[in-house]
Structure formats: C-alpha cells, structure tokens
Amino acid sequence: MQALPLLDFKTLEVVNLVVAIIAAVVWATTGLAYRGLPAARYLFGSSLAVAFGAALKTGLTPDSAAWISILALESIVCGLWLLYCGVRSFFGRPIRARQAAAALLVTLTLLIVFHQRWLLREAIFVFAQILPLFLLLPLFVKHGSRNSFGIQLAAAGAVIGIFSYLTIGLACAAKGLELYAIPSLEHVQTYGLLLGMVSASLLVFGIALMIIEHLLHEAENMAKRDELTGISNRRDFMFQIERVHALCAAANMPYCVLLIDIDKFKNWNDSYGHAVGDEALRHFTRTALDQLHGDTRLLARTGGDEFSLLLPGEGAEQAAEIAKTLVEQVRARAVCVNGKVLHLTVSVGVAVYMPGSQAGYNDILAHADVALYGSKNAGRNRYTVFDKRNVRDDDAPFPARFRLVDKPGAPPAGVGERRKQGLPQSG
C-alpha cells in the first residue's frame, strides 16, 4: 500500500492565512452593510486575530524567538473564542467574556511554561482550539432546524475541527511525553492542518449562510407585518385564510372571520390629526390582542381603519362571543392623547365557514363584509353574524372591501353564486 504523500506544511499555513484574510473581508463588509448586527464585529475580530497569528506562524524559522511563536498560537486561539462570542451574539445569547478570558489566560500560561518543548506546546495549542468549537455545538443544536442549511454546515465544520485538532493534539502529546513514538507525526500534523482548514472554511461559509437566512427571514417578516401596529398585514392575512380554509375543509372543521371597522375614523383624523389617529389604531390593536389567546388566532390590519380576525377551528358561538367582547372592551377603554380622553367604538361583521360547505374563503369574506355593513346600517358600535336567510339586495349597498381575484382580469371565486344570493360583488 502506497504511503500518503507528505504535504508542504508551510504552503498549508499560507493557505490558512489566505482563508483567514478572506473571512475578515467577508465579515468587514457584512458589518458595514448591517451595522445593527453586532455578531459581525466579533466575527471580523476573530478573522483578524486568526490572520495575525497565521501570518506570524508563516514567518517562523528555527531561529525565531519563542515569544513570537507563543503570540502566534495565542492569537489564533483568541480568534476562535471571538468566533464563539460572535455566534452567541448572533443567537441573542449573553457574551461569556470572562469564560473566554479565563481560557485564554490558562492557554497562555501553559504555552509559556512549555515554550521549550515544542511538541507539548503544539498539543496545548490544538487542545485549546477544541474547547470553543465544542461549546459551539450546543448552540447549533438548540437553534438549528432542518430548514437551516447554514447551521448544519457550520456544525459540520465544528465537528471536523474537533476531530482534526483532537487527533493532532493526542499525537503531539504522546510523542512529547514519550508515551508512544508516532512514526508519521508529520503526516498527522499536515493532514490535520488540512482538515482544520476545511473546518474553518465550513464554519465561515456556514455562519455566513446563517446570517443570510436570518436576514431573509427578517425581510419576509417585514413583508407580512403592518408597520404601524406590528400585527399581520393584508398580504399575510390573505395567505393565511387561504391556508386555513384548505386545512379546515380537509379536516372537516369550521373557522370564522371577523371584519372590524373603527367607527367614523375619518373624523378622528380630521378633528385631531393623523398622529392621534395612529394612536387610536395602536390602541385598538392593544385592546384586541388583550382579548385574544392562542397561537392560531390571527389579527391583521387589512386597510386604513379596517382589521380582520381569523379564528381557525372555532364556530359561530365562539366568534360571536369574541365579537361581543371586542365591541364592549373597545367602547370601555378610553384613549388618552395629549391630556384628552377619547373613546372609540367599532363595528364588526362575523361569518362562519361550516364543514361540508361549498363556499370558498372569498365567499366567507364577502359574507363577513355583508354582516359588517349590517352593523353599520344598524347604527354602528355593535356586531352582526352573517345569516344568508336575511340577505336582500338593499341590505348590502356597499361593495366588499377585498378585491378577491386570483389573477388580474379573472372574476372573483364564486361570483355567480353570490349573484344568486343577492350578495355584493367584489371590485
């Protein structure tokens, strides 16, 4: 069997230096582009420390002073601890600066004590790199998911790094302590360093991908959120009601929709100004959220003063009780703005999807809209549950608020059926 070729150790160290410099450039640009991401600063510092140490190691000669070698090794270990702190910061965990400082102090002390025994010094160096990599694994496991390829890539890099450094450390320690003569220590060191470079590359690209995934997730959340109130917007509501309708139809379950208007909201803006109007919208949102419990209920702002509430799995009685509570609580809670005590009222329309019904979610929204205008026509400050037996052409003089079309130019779903029932047309 042919022996493995002996790799050029100095060349590998130069490549390691290049990888560290590339990582520093990546984190520097990331930190400049996203100043609200403190993890990038730790990661940039980590790359600089590793690059500095790698540069010193590359220039070492047999005649170099021992303190230069110690500085190089300590700098690289410091870089790994900064990497660990950066990942903790990214996941929103407290930075364990004292833990890192204590580990670095112990490492420095041992490197100084064994500075004349290079094999033991090398063993201390590689063992010191294992601890921060090992501490990364619980973070990746806790915060990882099957959908996060970045975390999986970074975790793989940490595992490879632990394996490679453990192998090098045991080989150097065994030979340095004269416990076992390693016949091919140079091979262990060079191939271990090669694996270490693979580990570093996977960590850098994995963490970079983690950040990209995080930013994409934030952008997606922003696209689904109403900026003023912080709740879902119309786009997210329409996506969720389509999803809930399909699930409830398949599971033979009901769901309810509440359409809510703040009564005479235009008068608020005209009389008190838009700042007071915005506070009124936030006040209603807080009041409504206080009455809602459970992760499945979705409150969304679907227009200027228009809100929608989706209640998966709940029937007419539950929806009517929630609507009644909303009307009462909004009326009872005053809005205090600039010393003025103001009162809101709301009108609510309730519609129910019953299992086995052929109605689509567009029809349920249209039913809720009819019920809402029933509340408005009856004097506002109340709720109405849709009942198609009571619908007449003159009961719904206003068009539905949602332009419920799947494609530009396509007619709304169920439009023919709504005409037969005398329901308003979308538009």
Side-chain angles (χ1 to χ4, degrees):
M1 182 176 178
Q2 187 176 1
L4 290 172
L6 181 62
L7 301 177
D8 185 347
F9 198 79
K10 283 295 182 182
T11 302
L12 290 176
E13 287 188 335
V14 171
V15 174
N16 195 32
L17 172 60
V18 171
V19 170
I21 293 174
I22 292 173
V25 172
V26 169
W27 302 132
T29 53
T30 303
L32 290 173
Y34 302 99
R35 298 181 184 274
L37 192 67
R41 292 192 287 273
Y42 286 101
L43 296 170
F44 176 62
S46 167
S47 300
L48 282 183
V50 172
F52 176 72
L56 288 180
K57 281 194 72 178
T58 303
L60 286 177
T61 64
D63 299 328
S64 298
W67 68 267
I68 298 178
S69 177
I70 292 172
L71 179 60
L73 302 181
E74 182 74 2
S75 180
I76 293 173
V77 175
C78 178
L80 285 177
W81 279 105
L82 286 172
L83 175 72
Y84 169 67
C85 292
V87 173
R88 287 189 67 86
S89 173
F90 175 77
F91 288 130
R93 308 297 295 274
I95 305 302
R96 294 180 175 176
R98 291 183 179 180
Q99 180 189 48
L104 287 171
L105 182 59
V106 171
T107 302
L108 179 61
T109 302
L110 292 175
L111 289 174
I112 293 173
V113 170
F114 295 99
H115 73 278
Q116 292 183 332
R117 303 180 67 178
W118 76 271
L119 283 172
L120 294 182
R121 188 177 64 197
E122 191 72 15
I124 292 166
F125 166 61
V126 293
F127 283 141
Q129 295 178 81
I130 291 175
L131 182 56
L133 292 178
F134 182 78
L135 292 175
L136 284 174
L137 292 179
L139 293 173
F140 293 145
V141 170
K142 183 172 182 179
H143 297 279
S145 67
R146 293 180 179 178
N147 298 325
S148 178
F149 184 68
I151 291 181
Q152 296 175 20
L153 197 63
V159 170
I160 292 173
I162 291 170
F163 171 77
S164 63
Y165 295 141
L166 186 61
T167 303
I168 297 172
L170 290 175
C172 290
K175 191 164 185 177
L177 294 171
E178 299 180 353
L179 299 176
Y180 179 75
I182 306 295
S184 56
L185 181 60
E186 293 81 0
H187 285 86
V188 172
Q189 286 182 298
T190 54
Y191 281 98
L193 179 59
L194 183 61
L195 280 178
M197 291 166 49
V198 172
S199 165
S201 300
L202 290 177
L203 277 169
V204 170
F205 290 114
I207 294 172
L209 189 54
M210 280 166 43
I211 293 175
I212 293 172
E213 291 170 343
H214 169 73
L215 294 173
L216 288 175
H217 181 68
E218 278 196 342
E220 183 181 354
N221 282 339
M222 288 177 64
K224 297 190 299 184
R225 293 291 161 186
D226 174 59
E227 186 177 359
L228 178 65
T229 61
I231 59 176
S232 293
N233 58 17
R234 181 188 183 280
R235 176 184 178 184
D236 187 44
F237 179 81
M238 295 303 294
F239 172 80
Q240 295 296 342
I241 192 173
E242 182 178 11
R243 173 176 164 272
V244 165
H245 181 85
L247 291 173
C248 287
N252 206 33
M253 293 170 54
Y255 71 85
C256 294
V257 174
L258 278 66
L259 297 186
I260 307 158
D261 268 8
I262 297 178
D263 293 330
K264 299 182 179 179
F265 183 72
K266 185 176 183 299
N267 294 342
W268 280 71
N269 286 331
D270 294 342
S271 302
Y272 306 113
H274 287 280
V276 175
D278 289 347
E279 180 56 33
L281 294 172
R282 288 190 288 262
H283 174 78
F284 167 78
T285 302
R286 291 191 296 267
T287 303
L289 291 176
D290 286 345
Q291 314 309 315
L292 301 176
H293 305 284
D295 295 335
T296 59
R297 295 173 173 178
L298 175 70
L299 178 67
R301 183 184 176 204
T302 47
D305 62 328
E306 303 159 357
F307 294 80
S308 302
L309 178 59
L310 181 60
L311 306 174
E314 303 190 43
E317 291 184 5
Q318 295 163 302
E321 185 61 32
I322 291 173
K324 178 183 176 183
T325 302
L326 276 177
V327 171
E328 292 174 348
Q329 289 297 316
V330 172
R331 182 173 58 229
R333 294 190 182 186
V335 185
C336 296
V337 182
N338 299 329
K340 298 179 181 179
V341 179
L342 307 173
H343 290 271
L344 290 174
T345 62
V346 294
S347 299
V348 183
V350 182
V352 185
Y353 169 80
M354 296 304 296
S357 169
Q358 297 302 310
Y361 64 89
N362 285 348
D363 299 296
I364 303 303
L365 287 169
H367 295 170
D369 211 40
V370 170
L372 171 62
Y373 283 109
S375 295
K376 289 178 175 290
N377 292 339
R380 297 183 171 85
N381 189 25
R382 68 192 67 229
Y383 73 94
T384 302
V385 180
F386 176 82
D387 186 346
K388 67 179 181 180
R389 294 173 299 181
N390 299 328
V391 173
R392 300 191 306 272
D393 289 340
D394 57 354
D395 284 333
F398 301 100
R401 74 196 54 229
F402 293 95
R403 178 173 288 277
L404 303 173
V405 293
D406 297 324
K407 297 178 181 178
V415 66
E417 186 63 25
R418 286 201 294 280
R419 282 176 181 159
K420 293 178 183 178
Q421 297 178 7
L423 299 179
Q425 309 304 312
S426 302

